[in-house]
Every structure is written in structure tokens, then in C-alpha cells.
Amino acid sequence: MTIFISSGLRQVHAQTAESGTLDPIHELKKQKVHSRDTTGPLLTQVLNELMSSGYSPGQLKQQLFVGMSAAKVHDIATMATTERESKLLLLLYHSRPGLVPHFITDSGLKSIFERHGNQFLAKYHKQMNRDVITDDLVEVLELYSPANAVVISSLCASAWYHNGPRGVSYASERLLEMTYYVRQNELAKRSLVLRLLKEEGMIYLPTQVNVIYDWSGHKPTPIKLGVKEWATDDIAGLERLLDNPYYGWMARRQLDRMQVIVEI
């Protein structure tokens, strides 16, 4: 379960202010004119902060994109230092979810998953398969190490609260958790890398999760997330990964499991 630290960003920003260093997220967002010399290095700092911070990924992503227009995001992506960082920024932007209500009751949570569970799953299936989340953007995961790919998948899947973390109910925490699992599972269905990492036990991608009602003690509601089985239409993608420095050996092992003979 993701750990959320209230007012984390305010603590980070206060620390940067006291030390006299610039907050890269704030500096990037306030830029009015973008150039490769200034915007690119700032974006690198921001992405590094997103992937290395101990604070909630959903909170940091919300801080980055709140109030930022699609046009500005694309302008920044155009000025990225590398194509990899450009694609990563766009993937994070287009995978941002709607915000979760910061206070719901167990009854409200139970209604969502016992009465409208299929609608909840369908909502995030549609969201993570929009045209703007192209295969090209999803495949940027192939350019990152396994450890960073896991973090990026967490950033893509994470949501946040409408009114911040203060006064959040137990049920809202569970709703945020479920949103995370569903969205990460949908991303994994589109990513060979995440599926390979699951095969090697390097990422936790449950196929079923239980909705827990902490306050009322209601019987947990099991939610099946589904799984994409390996099939013949994955072979071309796996063969493409054979020369990848991070995932080549994983792809070969999976092809062996599928009893596919690869010509060298």
C-alpha cells in the first residue's frame, strides 16, 4: 500500500527556501519562455525529484500538473534534454487521473465496489487506453532500468485527494489505494516491460484485491483486476526487446517459456 505523507510538498518547498536553493517544480511552472538551455535541465531535475522523492507520487504529480495547460506541457516536452524525458513527461501528464474525494464513508465505498464495481473498472480502463496515451509513450518504460520503470508505473498509477490529505477518511484511503491498483494494472496490460517485471517477481501486480472497510468492519469486497496472458501477438514485441540492455534477458526467458525459437 502506498504511504502518503501529509504536507510533504510544503515541507520540501520550505526546506529548499531555507537552504536558498530553487524548487525545480516551481521554477519550471513559472517559466514563460521555454528553451532547451533552461527548460531541459529544469525538467531533468523535476523528473529526478519525482522518481527519487520519499513523498507520495500522487501528491508530487498533482503539484507538478495542477494549473498547467496541455499546451504548456507540450512546450516543455519539446524542450526536453532527451527524447526519453520528453516522452516520460507526456506519459505522466496524460495518465493523470481525476482526484479522489478526501472524505467518504464505508457505505459510500461499499456502494462503489459492490453495486458499481464494473463501472469503476471500466472508467479506468477507458482512461488508461485513451488515444493520447500512445504505445510510443508507454514504451518509454523500456528505456529505464527495472527499478525506475517500477517507480514510473507508480507515478502513472497514483491519484490524489480533492482537498489534500488532511481529514481524509479511512474509506477514502482505501478508494485511493484501489484507484492505484486498477490504474497500474491497466498500464501493465499495455506494457511488455511491466509484464516481464511481474514474471521475474520485480513488481507487485495483483490480479485480485480486496476492498477493506476499516471503520465498519464490513466483509471485504474482492475485486478481480484481470490479467493479460502471454500470447502469440506478444512475440514481435519480445523479439524487439532482445537487444535491450535492461530487458533483453527477460524477453529471452519469456520466449523460452512460450517455446518460441529465435533465429540468431
Side-chain angles (χ1 to χ4, degrees), residues 45 49 60 67 102 133 141 151 172 189 243 246 252-253:
Q45 284 184 272
E49 180 175 323
L60 282 171
H102 84 289
I133 305 179
L141 291 167
V151 173
S172 287
K189 290 176 183 177
D243 293 328
Y246 299 122
R252 182 168 293 280
R253 282 176 55 143

Side-chain angles (χ1 to χ4, degrees), residues 91 134-144 146 149-150 153 184-203 205 227-242 244 246-255 257-258:
L91 177 62
T134 63
D135 290 341
D136 190 45
L137 292 185
V138 173
E139 287 170 4
V140 76
L141 291 167
E142 299 171 8
L143 304 178
Y144 286 89
V150 171
S153 77
Q184 190 178 44
N185 185 272
E186 288 296 332
L187 180 63
K189 290 176 183 177
R190 298 190 57 187
S191 171
L192 285 174
V193 161
L194 295 183
R195 292 165 65 200
L196 287 172
L197 289 173
K198 180 181 179 181
E199 289 287 345
E200 301 300 331
M202 299 171 73
I203 188 172
L205 293 171
V227 62
K228 183 174 181 180
E229 302 290 348
W230 294 100
T232 54
D233 59 0
D234 292 316
I235 293 174
L238 290 168
E239 290 180 337
R240 175 174 53 80
L241 284 175
L242 287 174
N244 186 290
Y246 299 122
Y247 304 102
W249 66 272
M250 298 185 198
R252 182 168 293 280
R253 282 176 55 143
Q254 182 56 38
L255 287 168
R257 283 190 287 264
M258 296 168 69

Side-chain angles (χ1 to χ4, degrees), residues 154-170:
S154 178
L155 284 166
C156 291
S158 293
W160 195 237
Y161 302 106
H162 272 294
N163 299 322
R166 292 189 177 181
V168 169
S169 65
Y170 290 127

